[in-house]
Structure formats: C-alpha cells, structure tokens
Amino acid sequence: MANHKSSVKRIRQTKTKNLHNKYYAKTMRNAVRKLRAITNKDEAMKLYPAVQKMLDKLAKTNIIHKNKAANLKSSLCKHIAKL
C-alpha cells in the first residue's frame, strides 16, 4: 500500500474514475449492440443519432479513442444502409 497522502488520494480517484469510465463504456457497447440487432431501417435511423452522440462524447472525454468512435459510426452507417 502507498505511504504518501497524495498517492492514497490518487488511488481513490483512480478507482472512482475507472468505475465511471467502465459504466459509460459498457453503456456505449450495449447501445451499439442494440442498434446492430435492429432489423427495421426506420427504428435504426431513429436510434442512430443518439448512439452517434454518445460515441462523440466518449471520444471527446478520452473514454474511447477518437478513431474507434469513427470506426464504430462508420460501421453502423454501413449496417443501416444495408437494411
């Protein structure tokens, strides 16, 4: 265990941030999974802006990499176009 006050605090902060980031990353993964499972084009078109917004926000706050967000958005667009 750490001996310095600052390192003890850093451990607490890291634990909190990890929990926060895990929650939003999992939420994003579930949203992408839900969108890919949709077979109706109209429903997919309605859900896509919300998922796109979520991906952009997570990329902006460095929870996911910006290229990963771009790749996911691109692949979801292709999926919707196929429907």
Side-chain angles (χ1 to χ4, degrees):
M1 185 66 188
N3 293 324
H4 297 286
K5 269 186 167 182
S6 61
S7 55
V8 172
K9 181 179 179 181
R10 178 61 60 198
I11 290 168
R12 278 198 321 266
Q13 288 176 332
T14 303
K15 201 181 298 183
T16 306
K17 283 181 184 175
N18 280 346
L19 195 62
H20 177 266
N21 292 345
K22 244 186 229 177
Y23 169 77
Y24 282 105
K26 184 69 173 175
T27 305
M28 179 268 304
R29 282 197 303 274
N30 287 338
V32 169
R33 200 173 294 134
K34 184 179 176 184
L35 184 60
R36 284 202 177 118
I38 292 175
T39 55
N40 185 356
K41 187 168 187 167
D42 293 330
E43 286 180 35
M45 290 291 281
K46 284 181 186 173
L47 186 61
Y48 180 70
V51 174
Q52 184 180 12
K53 185 177 177 183
M54 185 185 303
L55 288 168
D56 287 337
K57 278 187 176 180
L58 293 178
K60 189 173 106 177
T61 55
N62 292 322
I63 293 174
I64 61 172
H65 195 273
K66 64 177 184 165
N67 291 352
K68 181 183 174 81
N71 289 337
L72 283 171
K73 288 192 294 185
S74 173
S75 69
L76 289 174
C77 258
K78 285 180 188 174
H79 170 73
I80 291 171
K82 275 188 202 175
L83 296 177

